[in-house]
Amino acid sequence: MRAGVRDEEHGPERGPGGGGGTPARRTLGRETLLVLALSLGASALSALISFVGALTRPGGLKDQAARLNGSYAPDRPWLDLAWQLFGIATALVPVLLVAHLLTREGPEGSAGGAGGGPGLGAIGFDLRRPWSDLGRGTVVAAGIGGSGLLLYLGARAGGFNLTVVPESLPEVWWKIPVLIASAIQNSVVEEVIVVGYLLRRLDQLGWSPAAALAASSLLRGTYHLYQGIGGFVGNVVMGVIFVWLYRRWGRVGPLVAAHALIDIVAFVGYALLAGRVGWLPTG
């Protein structure tokens, strides 16, 4: 093996000085499966089981509720807050694992990713272009958020979706900040793992762009299947758009911003409007 050339089947790439690079394909494959098993892959299996349970339960889907951001200790607000913060923090651990793995890989390991630097900078999740990321994300959120709401309302009316209850927290002082933090956590975990990391690894494993797009989009749809068919279809479409934008921009940052804005509006909007407007279904 020549210095600086990867042995894709049996060993990691080594530079002239013995430094690490992109691991072998089989190692990358196992790594990717483990990351997904610790995060959104497990969520996809859980959502599939939940959906089967909803389908086999008496009554239609729209008469059942998919509840997000519930209370852990309704009568003990400080304990509830501790559990909320614990849940948000631990959900971010797979992102830290991805950052570690990308840092170990080094910038020379890029194979179709953003290549913006070590760690999460390699997939464009950094502070190099904060205003550009936020501006692009706002435009994307405006386009996807409204159409997503219409799709949800239509799917629920047609009996294809559960009633999504974005929050059922008690009326405490930390309610809105926790909902915002939860929205940001969701966006970081999903976009870093299912777009930036997964596409980078699938590129390195030799997948075609079309196959990688299908895998990322179907995974996104599947871990939203607990909401019903509408949640699955809407998120597959969102996944296709997000993969296309990532390929175009080379950055996860705008996608995280867009997703965070969509979820913030959904969570906080529900908290402010539920029971006050007739068009918003409540569980």
Side-chain angles (χ1 to χ4, degrees), residues 8-47:
E8 293 184 336
E9 294 300 326
H10 301 292
E13 180 182 272
R14 299 291 182 183
T22 306
R25 283 189 176 183
R26 282 181 291 186
T27 301
L28 285 179
R30 289 192 294 266
E31 173 201 297
T32 304
L33 290 175
L34 286 171
V35 169
L36 293 178
L38 291 171
S39 57
L40 296 171
S43 297
L45 182 57
S46 173

Side-chain angles (χ1 to χ4, degrees), residues 119-152:
L120 295 179
I123 58 174
F125 187 53
D126 51 34
L127 296 176
R128 289 184 298 128
R129 305 174 190 172
W131 298 114
S132 173
D133 289 348
L134 181 59
R136 287 174 167 176
T138 301
V139 173
V140 174
I144 290 180
S147 57
L149 176 59
L150 292 176
L151 175 62
Y152 160 65

Side-chain angles (χ1 to χ4, degrees), residues 12-13 15 17 40 45 50 56 80 97 109 127 130 135 138 151-152 160 166 170 173 181 212 223 226 239 280:
E13 180 182 272
L40 296 171
L45 182 57
S50 177
T56 55
D80 200 354
L97 174 59
L127 296 176
T138 301
L151 175 62
Y152 160 65
F160 300 108
W173 64 268
Y223 62 71
Y226 67 92
L280 183 62

Side-chain angles (χ1 to χ4, degrees), residues 199-278:
L199 291 181
R200 184 178 179 89
R201 286 296 184 250
L202 294 181
D203 287 346
Q204 292 166 332
L205 289 168
W207 287 45
S208 70
L213 180 148
S216 176
S217 303
L218 289 173
L219 175 59
R220 185 190 296 269
T222 303
Y223 62 71
H224 285 95
L225 193 56
Y226 67 92
Q227 299 176 7
I229 298 298
F232 173 80
V233 172
N235 279 280
V236 168
V237 173
M238 178 177 170
V240 171
I241 295 171
F242 273 28
V243 168
W244 182 80
L245 291 175
Y246 177 70
R247 296 293 195 189
R248 181 178 179 86
W249 293 334
R251 291 187 60 77
V252 162
L255 309 182
V256 171
H259 194 151
L261 290 170
I262 291 170
D263 280 7
I264 288 171
V265 171
F267 296 170
V268 176
Y270 186 90
L272 298 176
L273 297 177
R276 296 180 175 87
V277 295

